[in-house]
Amino acid sequence: MSAAHFPDLAHKRVLITGSSMGIGLAAARAFAAQGAHVGLNARRAPAELAEILQDLRKDGGEAEFFAADLADSAACAKLVDDFVARFGGIDVLINNAGGLVGRKPLPEIDDAFFDAVNDLNMRSVLMTTRAALPHLRASAKASGQSASVISVGSIAGHTGGGPGASLYGAAKAWLHNIHKNWVDYHTQDDIRFNIVSPGTVDTAFHADKNDEVRQRISNGIPLGRFGKAEEMAPAFLFFASHAMSGYITGQILDVNGGQYMP
Ligand code: NAD
């Protein structure tokens, strides 16, 4: 898929949440192309799962799908257990599952919506990372290379989010922030924590937008277009590779065509 070569990622065990499509699946394809062992996840298996797995396995790595609804804490822990049972450990965790859930302005936000947005975008990352910690620690100790947690933030975490996306934007800002605390406490375990923060990426996330809205958004992006899911993938490879980013932790990499410049 790409000419990039990260030799230290071959055979790394990489769990990517929310990876049946979009940014997560593109990242999975990029890791598999490096010979990594990849765990896919979504609430349900996608219809084309057999073809996806066959494709992911063609460069020598292994790939498996694990169904889990990560809005639920017990399911986060089970996902980690299932992945470890299959691959024997975790070297890289990518917390990618997330989404808007819906768009509601402040007067319409009720308890159920508050819980749904925060469970999907915050609880999922917290509980999956918590469950993965002992395995990441063991990976770093055994390999002598840092383990890596990469969470998917958002431009919305910087700007507050678009119409009706206040809770989503706040949840992503929470992610940007909580990573800094985890850096302080878990660097001693040789685990690095970085954020990939996409701008506007052409996935199902934007399925609600017509051509006119898409054009208006594109006009506000210096590169003049939406990003592609594949264009997010190299940032994940970079943060996962100890050789490339072993001295980088606690950072946010904005991949947004210049749409927002902190
Ligand atoms: P997408 O809708 O194409 O993919 C979302 C993935 O998460 C899917 O695989 C879906 O099955 C999975 N998922 C949803 N709910 C889940 C749950 N409860 N448990 C497990 N898996 C679940 O969206 P995308 O654009 O690829 O988004 C991926 C990440 O990128 C999200 O965290 C999103 O917030 C973030 N993001 C996207 C954009 C963008 O413009 N597309 C911008 C900034 C951040």
Side-chain angles (χ1 to χ4, degrees):
M1 166 230 137
S2 101
H5 191 37
F6 296 79
D8 67 328
L9 294 182
H11 308 301
K12 288 285 184 203
R13 300 157 298 184
V14 183
L15 173 57
I16 307 175
T17 69
S19 44
S20 61
M21 58 188 193
I23 292 169
L25 179 57
R29 293 190 193 283
F31 278 98
Q34 306 296 328
H37 304 320
V38 179
L40 296 180
N41 152 260
R43 279 170 296 187
R44 284 175 297 281
E48 64 284 16
L49 180 62
E51 292 94 308
I52 290 173
L53 290 178
Q54 193 179 17
D55 189 44
L56 293 177
R57 290 170 182 150
K58 75 179 185 316
D59 288 308
E62 296 170 31
E64 214 63 74
F65 176 81
F66 304 93
D69 180 345
L70 301 183
D72 174 72
S73 297
C76 297
K78 183 172 184 307
L79 170 64
V80 168
D81 287 350
D82 290 348
F83 180 88
V84 170
R86 170 66 178 81
F87 291 110
I90 306 180
D91 304 305
V92 178
L93 170 64
I94 300 182
N95 293 307
N96 170 72
L100 286 171
V101 179
R103 291 186 184 271
K104 286 186 193 287
L106 179 55
E108 291 172 24
I109 293 175
D110 55 16
D111 284 349
F113 185 66
F114 178 87
D115 287 347
V117 176
N118 292 340
D119 285 351
L120 174 59
N121 292 288
M122 291 162 48
R123 180 188 302 279
S124 66
V125 175
L126 180 75
M127 291 303 173
T128 307
T129 306
R130 187 179 97 159
L133 268 181
H135 305 291
L136 294 162
R137 199 181 288 132
S139 155
K141 202 166 176 198
S143 69
Q145 297 188 336
S146 55
S148 182
V149 174
I150 307 162
S151 297
V152 178
S154 173
I155 189 171
H158 295 300
T159 64
S166 62
L167 291 180
Y168 171 77
K172 291 297 192 181
W174 180 91
L175 269 189
H176 292 184
N177 199 73
I178 202 167
H179 259 223
K180 296 177 189 171
N181 178 281
W182 293 346
V183 166
D184 275 351
Y185 281 89
H186 300 290
T187 298
Q188 64 192 7
D189 298 324
D190 214 4
I191 304 171
R192 296 180 295 110
F193 296 88
N194 291 293
I195 301 261
V196 173
S197 180
T200 307
V201 186
D202 197 1
T203 68
F205 190 96
H206 296 289
D208 61 342
K209 298 183 176 65
N210 63 27
D211 288 348
E212 192 191 327
V213 173
R214 290 172 65 95
Q215 190 56 53
R216 189 158 22 89
I217 294 171
S218 297
N219 292 343
I221 302 173
L223 281 181
R225 61 173 177 82
F226 282 30
K228 300 180 189 130
E230 297 73 31
E231 291 175 308
M232 307 299 116
F236 295 107
L237 298 178
F238 174 73
F239 280 140
S241 164
H242 176 83
M244 288 290 148
S245 62
Y247 194 58
I248 300 179
T249 191
Q251 302 305 310
I252 299 175
L253 180 51
D254 293 287
V255 189
N256 62 26
Q259 189 177 9
Y260 176 78
M261 295 176 260

